[in-house]
Amino acid sequence: MEVTSMELGHTAASKCYDDDGRLKRTGTMWTASAHIITAVIGSGVLSLAWAIAQLGWVAGPAVMLLFSFVTYYTSALLADCYRSGDACTGNRNYTYMDAVNANLSGIKVQLCGFLQYANIVGVAIGYTIAASISMLAIKRANCFHVEGHGDPCNISSTPYMIIFGVAEIFFSQIPDFDQISWLSILAAVMSFTYSTIGLGLGIVQVVANKGIQGSLTGISIGAVTSLDKVWRSLQAFGDIAFAYSYSLILIEIQDTIRAPPPSESKVMRRATIVSVAVTTLFYMLCGCMGYAAFGDNAPGNLLTGFGFYEPFWLLDVANTAIVVHLIGAYQVYCQPLFAFVEKWAQQRWPKSRYVTGEVDVPLSLAGAAGRCYKLNLFRLTWRTAFVVATTVVSMLLPFFNDVVGLLGALGFWPLTVYFPVEMYIVQKKVPRWSTRWVCLQLLSLACLIITVASAAGSVAGIISDLKVYKPFVTTY
């Protein structure tokens, strides 16, 4: 059967085009896994030792395993919603919002759009903060090595946020997901690099301590007040949730997978189980080893909190890897928002050369002779403005742990659990009050309670930080 694409005007299912008339997708389980690992093993891994320190040896790993299971299960439900109807021939939903729009209706669609794009903005801010702190940590590690550990080596993070913002302005001009696979693979390699270094340093510290630090219940009341213990434990849930957050870009990643057979949902399920298994293993190793090394004194950021001082050059390598990874992760997360705004602008002003026109920019790099980059002026100005805005907000709120916890809390229940569950119920026509329906609703309710509690803990932490913080002045 031939289908004509309204967008490209090509015959579907040809050698160059898929069944929807778009250029053939070339993604595999491995490229999808790379995208997921890039998105998942982000700055969140560095706060896990602190999170486990709040919960202890029993609850900490148990909560991490719980979040990994919930993330995998709801991601599998969401993967089934990529096509409406038949898993191999049904209409494609290109974005998370398209899937919600195809299965749900009314206020739910608008609410999902707001939450998804607000969460993307929040993640961009969180990644900017994390990257600047890692760049700052390189400078401080060298300072400590030269001046000694007693020197405060206080440095402002603002210049480093600006440097990261400039880099993101450049990389944000990569048009879409199909053209950032190389960046995702590089970022995934970097995530393994710094996670492995953090793990190795934790093992060395445990050996130096001649034993494992920490307790079964985490930081004790007395070291902190009873109220602080509650708030910090709740914030730990948010930190762990953030470390597993990627559902809001799952459909966009799935849309890069080559056409069936096998169906995209089967490939995505395999990619999800591989990615979640790998990240959970790394999380358990890094988080638990960090807690074993430092106990209740585990820093909020394992590689920038200076639980480790030496070897300083290895810390520099790890923090450089973090920065490179976050450059890629920023782009992976922001592509859905970039695409949404640009598609809306093209529909709103279809005849505007500023919005739809392209300028050929010759590429004179080696191996690129005769090739041109198609520069779109609207894409250039809009994406640049977005990066500038998120960078400025990052300068105003550089609280790594609290921001990470709040982002994890706000994005976890609605985007990772509620909407995938609701769409799956509609897609598979699960009868109301059936056993499966009741179990899915109970899962959603339990995750809602966790989200509300985690958000409260993170807000309490941000309020506490704001009491002593001065914008653009406070140093680390």
Side-chain angles (χ1 to χ4, degrees):
M1 181 177 69
E2 293 187 349
V3 181
T4 302
S5 168
M6 295 178 64
E7 296 182 11
L8 299 175
H10 293 290
T11 302
S14 69
K15 290 183 179 180
C16 298
Y17 300 94
D18 275 331
D19 56 349
D20 59 346
R22 295 192 175 187
L23 287 172
K24 271 195 176 297
R25 296 155 176 84
T26 58
T28 64
M29 184 195 79
W30 299 111
T31 60
S33 297
H35 284 313
I36 295 171
I37 291 171
T38 297
V40 178
I41 303 184
S43 55
V45 69
L46 303 173
S47 66
L48 293 178
W50 181 90
I52 293 178
Q54 312 313 307
L55 300 171
W57 279 117
V58 176
V63 169
M64 205 177 297
L65 289 173
L66 174 65
F67 274 95
S68 68
F69 172 76
V70 171
T71 300
Y72 165 70
Y73 182 71
T74 57
S75 295
L77 300 183
L78 185 57
D80 285 343
C81 299
Y82 172 65
R83 287 184 183 264
S84 298
D86 188 87
C88 292
T89 60
N91 292 330
R92 298 172 186 264
N93 296 308
Y94 301 112
T95 66
Y96 191 106
M97 272 296 295
D98 287 344
V100 173
N101 199 37
N103 292 284
L104 305 177
S105 59
I107 191 66
K108 289 183 180 179
V109 177
Q110 298 170 3
L111 179 62
C112 175
F114 172 78
L115 288 171
Q116 183 188 13
Y117 299 132
N119 196 264
I120 288 173
V121 173
V123 168
I125 293 169
Y127 281 178
T128 302
I129 294 171
S132 69
I133 292 175
S134 290
M135 287 189 279
L136 181 148
I138 295 172
K139 182 75 172 178
R140 292 188 72 198
N142 296 336
C143 174
F144 286 133
H145 179 71
V146 174
E147 304 296 337
H149 301 171
D151 192 300
C153 292
N154 289 331
I155 306 169
S156 172
S157 62
T158 298
Y160 299 98
M161 291 187 184
I162 294 173
I163 292 171
F164 184 77
V166 171
E168 290 302 345
I169 288 174
F170 174 77
F171 282 103
S172 68
Q173 296 311 306
I174 299 174
D176 52 44
F177 260 123
D178 289 333
Q179 298 178 44
I180 62 172
S181 292
W182 66 271
L183 188 57
S184 280
I185 292 170
L186 174 63
V189 171
M190 292 298 103
S191 68
F192 284 121
T193 300
Y194 68 73
S195 296
T196 302
I197 291 173
L199 173 62
L201 290 173
I203 293 172
V204 170
Q205 187 66 40
V206 169
V207 173
N209 293 340
K210 297 181 180 179
I212 293 175
Q213 305 292 309
S215 64
L216 294 179
T217 57
I219 192 167
S220 58
I221 296 174
V224 295
T225 66
S226 300
L227 186 59
D228 280 343
K229 170 71 173 178
V230 172
W231 290 133
R232 290 166 68 141
S233 296
L234 294 177
Q235 185 184 328
F237 275 78
D239 284 0
I240 295 173
F242 179 79
Y244 279 103
S245 176
Y246 77 96
S247 294
L248 74 167
I249 58 171
L250 183 144
I251 296 291
E252 284 81 352
I253 293 173
Q254 192 168 347
D255 191 45
T256 66
I257 296 173
R258 63 169 63 119
S263 68
E264 295 92 349
S265 62
K266 286 184 178 180
V267 176
M268 197 64 189
R269 281 171 178 262
R270 293 172 192 163
T272 297
I273 196 168
V274 168
S275 326
V276 172
V278 169
T279 53
T280 300
L281 176 62
F282 262 77
Y283 285 178
M284 293 293 282
L285 291 172
C286 292
C288 292
M289 196 54 65
Y291 184 43
F294 299 108
D296 293 348
N297 295 319
N301 187 316
L302 190 60
L303 291 173
T304 64
F306 288 96
F308 304 112
Y309 288 92
E310 300 290 346
F312 79 99
W313 60 268
L314 190 59
L315 288 173
D316 289 351
V317 171
N319 281 299
T320 300
I322 292 172
V323 174
V324 174
H325 170 263
L326 290 173
I327 288 173
Y330 187 107
Q331 295 305 318
V332 170
Y333 257 99
C334 292
Q335 282 298 329
L337 178 58
F338 290 161
F340 170 76
V341 171
E342 287 154 20
K343 183 178 179 180
W344 171 83
Q346 289 171 3
Q347 292 174 341
R348 180 70 176 80
W349 298 288
K351 296 182 180 179
S352 170
R353 293 190 62 187
Y354 169 69
V355 174
T356 61
E358 293 181 332
V359 178
D360 288 338
V361 179
L363 298 176
S364 57
L365 299 175
R371 296 180 61 185
C372 292
Y373 170 75
K374 295 187 178 298
L375 176 68
N376 176 268
L377 294 179
F378 177 76
R379 181 173 65 230
L380 175 64
T381 53
W382 136 244
R383 296 191 183 189
T384 299
F386 174 85
V387 174
V388 170
T390 55
T391 303
V392 171
V393 174
S394 301
M395 293 176 189
L396 295 172
L397 292 172
F399 315 130
F400 176 75
N401 250 50
D402 299 324
V403 170
V404 162
L406 183 60
L407 290 175
L410 294 179
F412 177 66
W413 176 71
L415 298 172
T416 302
V417 181
Y418 176 74
F419 285 110
V421 164
E422 292 298 309
M423 287 191 287
Y424 180 81
I425 288 173
V426 172
Q427 178 97 333
K428 300 300 182 181
K429 297 180 173 60
V430 179
R432 183 180 289 267
W433 302 114
S434 65
T435 302
R436 173 175 286 190
W437 186 91
V438 170
C439 289
L440 288 171
Q441 296 300 335
L442 287 175
L443 172 65
S444 182
L445 177 61
C447 292
L448 171 61
I449 294 171
I450 292 172
T451 287
V452 172
S454 301
S458 298
V459 169
I462 290 175
I463 292 173
S464 177
D465 287 336
L466 285 173
K467 291 178 181 178
V468 296
Y469 174 70
K470 295 181 180 179
F472 306 108
V473 175
T474 297
T475 59
Y476 291 87

